[in-house]
Amino acid sequence: MNKKKLKHIELFAGCGGMSLGLEAAGYNLYLANELSPMAGETFAYNILNETLEGNHSPNKTLWIKSQFAKNEIDKRLRENPFEATNGTFSDIEDDTILDNKLLIGDINKLLSVFEEKPTFIDRIRESEIDLISGGPPCQSFSLAGLREKDNHKNTLPLSFAQIVGLIQPKTVLLENVKGITSPFTENGKKYYAWLEVSKAFVLEGFVPVCMMLNSKYFGVPQNRPRFILQAYRKDIFDKLYNKKRNNEILKVSNEFYNAVTKNKKSLDKVTTKDFKYFDIESRPNLFDGIILPKITVTKNEFITSVEAIGDIRTPRFLYKVNGVKGKYAKTLNKIFRKKFPHDLLIKNHEPRNHSFLIRSRFRFYQVIEQFQNGLKKGAVDLFTGKNVSDELREKLLGEFSHHKLLFYDKTNSREIDIIPENIDEVEELIKLIPTKKHSQRALQEFEPAPAQLTIPDDLCHYHSDHPRTLTVREMARFQSFPDWFEFKSKVTTGGKMRKFEVPQYTQVGNAVPPLLAKAIGDNLKKQLDIIKES
């Protein structure tokens, strides 16, 4: 097996989850691009070993455009990236070396740089890039809709594909949410974003293979469905196809490529009847490491919440990276290696301050998460003010009589954990802790985490001693980041700044799980090795 490191470019790099996984799979980063300076700060620190804090001029992190000079790094890190595109400052000159660099800014500005300075593309192509990866927003993308250009996000998948077309890597990896497979309507016509994105790559000379997988099958303790498109440059695909001509997956892709190239001037003729994606839930046998990544964890072996974060349950303790007790955490720190001080403390594990009302509400969620036989729904109905029959109320009291809820003792001005004596006590408590959020829930101790990890208030800890939201570190564990990986910038944000700020919680939630990236990267690398050996 060829041990040579492959080269990859990361677009929409985020905080570095994809790059971290690909590095463990044997890829060297050639170049990365990320819109958000906040996420970019985390990427630079962990992937490029470059600290951006303090007014100095970084060497490996360059701004495509900014309203601030290079030595005003603190201002750049808090700059609205959508306003930065109109700035007069740029770190990219004709003689700039892009190798091992992170470029902060809009991908469309990067595309303009490549089009205006073709020598950059020449240099990159001489390096023979093996993989370009990334996760552009694709939910409403259609090649037809691009004529309107009414939504900035609608152009991003095309920009991704165009850069791929310019650089001509051997392979491509695109990650996106499950929603990309749901149809949307535009000008009275129904479109499927995943299909439109696939067409865009064919137009650039690449053959796509599409799949729906779930991170939990690859050792990630999270029930996280994800759409994956991996594409091959046509000459690479042909070599793979010649070796595995009877492969069902490659046949589907080959026929789709031919259909798109035949109908370039009338792409609407190519529909979902001409292509399909392969779902890990319905066709697990195809995820065998030949074309699709190999399943590494079976249904009876999914990593649970307690396995993921049980060893760092109490945030007030100071945990050392080298001293973690959990098998899962040790595995992550072994797979994703990095040199660090032996006494390095785990960062990003500060708990948020909650009022009694929030803690009491979270305790309620923890309790009802344990209810069986449909009583959980009944408890939710009770909590949200829906009518509950007398019979159901009696059954709910039976369940609540086994659990302590968090009440407030006004007489002694303190919080108390007690088992409610009757359903009226439960209802009185509910009146004190109302919420308009219906997505909130508690983790299940012996199940993987649910998919929604972007908004910190949506989930609370599973343990009754900890009626609180997860820390950034705990969320990072669920995303399969090693404990030495430190998230930078603000912890959270709100208000108007939500539109452009990417704080730590969002960085984690938006990231590609490194273990998933490694599994896909391993598989693509194996395919390139097979082709190389032929």
Side-chain angles (χ1 to χ4, degrees):
M1 188 67 71
N2 195 328
K3 299 291 186 181
K4 182 181 178 182
K5 286 269 188 178
L6 305 182
K7 297 178 183 176
H8 83 103
I9 289 175
E10 178 76 16
L11 305 176
F12 305 93
C15 66
M18 179 84 84
S19 288
L20 184 64
L22 291 176
E23 181 183 11
Y27 291 80
N28 270 347
L29 180 69
Y30 180 88
L31 173 69
N33 171 236
E34 167 54 31
L35 174 67
S36 165
M38 296 173 75
E41 183 180 4
T42 296
F43 186 102
Y45 184 79
N46 293 279
I47 306 299
L48 301 179
N49 296 313
E50 181 167 70
T51 300
L52 300 186
E53 296 168 309
N55 280 317
H56 67 282
S57 298
N59 297 315
K60 299 177 182 179
T61 309
L62 309 177
W63 265 252
I64 302 171
K65 283 285 185 180
S66 178
Q67 300 171 102
F68 304 103
K70 190 171 184 178
N71 62 350
E72 296 182 288
I73 188 68
D74 287 345
K75 291 182 179 179
R76 283 185 168 190
L77 289 173
R78 297 296 174 262
E79 185 176 18
N80 183 334
F82 300 106
E83 295 176 358
T85 57
N86 300 318
T88 57
F89 296 96
S90 176
D91 300 338
I92 302 177
E93 307 292 341
D94 290 345
D95 59 350
T96 300
I97 303 299
L98 298 182
D99 191 359
N100 199 35
K101 297 293 194 302
L102 167 64
L103 305 183
I104 302 288
D106 192 317
I107 190 174
N108 288 311
K109 288 294 182 183
L110 177 60
L111 183 59
S112 296
V113 169
F114 286 157
E115 291 172 342
E116 294 166 5
K117 303 179 188 295
T119 53
F120 281 135
I121 293 297
D122 293 339
R123 292 177 206 158
I124 295 173
R125 292 185 72 164
E126 286 174 3
S127 298
E128 297 186 4
I129 301 300
D130 296 285
L131 172 66
I132 293 183
S133 58
C138 301
Q139 280 65 15
S140 57
F141 172 75
S142 76
L143 290 167
L146 287 168
R147 299 189 195 100
E148 299 176 13
K149 294 188 181 297
D150 59 345
N151 185 334
H152 170 72
K153 289 185 177 181
N154 284 352
T155 68
L156 298 179
L158 185 65
S159 301
F160 187 129
Q162 287 174 333
I163 288 179
V164 166
L166 287 172
I167 294 174
Q168 289 291 302
K170 294 175 184 176
T171 59
V172 176
L173 169 58
L174 180 147
E175 182 264 0
N176 216 275
V177 297
K178 183 179 181 180
I180 191 177
T181 61
S182 299
F184 66 94
T185 302
E186 186 177 84
N187 296 328
K189 289 187 176 181
K190 185 180 289 187
Y191 291 93
Y192 290 84
W194 75 272
L195 184 68
E196 297 293 300
V197 171
S198 299
K199 293 177 187 177
F201 281 103
V202 171
L203 296 178
E204 299 295 343
F206 287 77
V207 186
V209 170
C210 295
M211 68 197 85
M212 182 68 67
L213 45 72
N214 195 312
S215 300
K216 64 185 180 182
Y217 289 100
F218 301 92
V220 181
Q222 187 182 168
N223 183 25
R224 189 180 179 92
R226 277 299 184 267
F227 173 84
I228 299 293
L229 178 150
Q230 57 187 39
Y232 308 84
R233 198 173 66 206
K234 186 59 167 63
D235 62 306
I236 297 295
F237 177 83
D238 288 343
K239 291 178 181 178
L240 189 62
Y241 190 46
N242 287 335
K243 274 190 163 291
K244 304 182 183 297
R245 190 167 287 275
N246 293 324
N247 186 277
E248 172 192 352
I249 302 164
L250 297 182
K251 281 183 178 180
V252 169
S253 294
N254 189 55
E255 290 171 3
F256 174 70
Y257 180 90
N258 292 336
V260 173
T261 53
K262 181 181 177 181
N263 295 281
K264 282 184 178 179
K265 296 183 179 180
S266 52
L267 288 174
D268 283 355
K269 290 183 179 180
V270 183
T271 70
T272 51
K273 294 180 180 178
D274 301 292
F275 200 31
K276 64 181 177 180
Y277 58 86
F278 298 91
D279 194 329
I280 199 168
E281 300 292 350
S282 59
R283 302 290 302 276
N285 59 303
L286 294 178
F287 290 78
D288 54 8
I290 297 176
I291 301 301
L292 306 183
K294 184 179 178 62
I295 290 174
T296 59
V297 178
T298 62
K299 289 185 177 180
N300 296 325
E301 299 172 335
F302 293 149
I303 308 299
T304 66
S305 294
V306 67
E307 290 175 301
I309 63 173
D311 62 319
I312 53 169
R313 196 174 73 198
T314 308
R316 68 176 179 271
F317 292 166
L318 297 178
Y319 298 97
K320 291 183 179 180
V321 176
N322 276 329
V324 293
K325 304 296 184 182
K327 180 181 177 181
Y328 168 71
K330 288 181 177 180
T331 299
L332 294 181
N333 294 335
K334 183 177 180 181
I335 292 173
F336 306 111
R337 296 178 181 275
K338 184 177 181 177
K339 291 183 178 180
F340 52 80
H342 185 75
D343 58 350
L344 179 68
L345 295 176
I346 291 178
K347 306 289 181 61
N348 310 118
H349 196 34
E350 297 77 25
R352 301 174 71 199
N353 292 321
H354 299 312
S355 67
F356 159 74
L357 296 182
I358 293 175
R359 287 195 299 275
S360 181
R361 187 188 304 146
F362 284 159
R363 173 65 60 79
F364 186 85
Y365 292 141
Q366 290 173 340
V367 167
I368 67 174
E369 198 64 48
Q370 303 173 57
F371 286 10
Q372 303 292 326
N373 303 320
L375 291 181
K376 177 182 172 182
K377 182 183 181 305
V380 172
D381 288 344
L382 187 72
F383 189 43
T384 54
K386 294 181 181 179
N387 289 326
V388 175
S389 68
D390 291 339
E391 181 184 0
L392 182 55
R393 285 164 57 90
E394 199 66 33
K395 290 181 179 179
L396 288 173
L397 177 59
E399 282 294 326
F400 280 117
S401 66
H402 300 298
H403 303 277
K404 291 181 179 180
L405 292 176
L406 187 58
F407 290 84
Y408 192 77
D409 180 0
K410 292 182 180 180
T411 304
N412 297 299
S413 300
R414 63 187 180 94
E415 298 175 12
I416 53 173
D417 289 311
I418 58 172
I419 294 174
E421 294 182 1
N422 54 61
I423 201 69
D424 292 335
E425 280 192 354
V426 177
E427 290 183 319
E428 285 300 314
L429 177 64
I430 286 173
K431 291 177 183 178
L432 292 174
I433 56 173
T435 180
K436 294 181 179 179
K437 296 193 70 171
H438 297 289
S439 59
Q440 289 182 323
R441 59 189 293 190
L443 290 169
Q444 291 188 23
E445 187 171 1
F446 300 108
E447 296 289 338
Q452 71 268 35
L453 282 181
T454 304
I455 302 174
D457 290 344
D458 275 353
L459 279 174
C460 68
H461 203 282
Y462 59 82
H463 199 279
S464 59
D465 288 346
H466 298 275
R468 58 172 176 80
T469 57
L470 302 180
T471 66
V472 172
R473 175 54 51 198
E474 287 168 331
M475 287 180 64
R477 283 276 191 91
F478 282 115
Q479 284 280 62
S480 76
F481 281 94
D483 286 335
W484 55 259
F485 196 100
E486 183 177 349
F487 296 87
K488 295 290 186 177
S489 196
K490 295 169 63 175
V491 176
T492 187
T493 190
K496 293 181 180 179
M497 290 190 284
R498 282 183 183 273
K499 294 180 179 179
F500 68 89
E501 287 196 337
V502 184
Q504 291 176 15
Y505 276 106
T506 308
Q507 290 175 33
V508 177
N510 288 346
V512 177
L515 276 182
L516 177 62
K518 181 182 183 300
I520 301 171
D522 281 336
N523 194 51
L524 286 172
K525 184 175 184 290
K526 184 176 71 173
Q527 292 167 9
L528 290 177
D529 285 339
I530 290 172
I531 292 171
K532 198 176 296 183
E533 292 169 359
S534 61

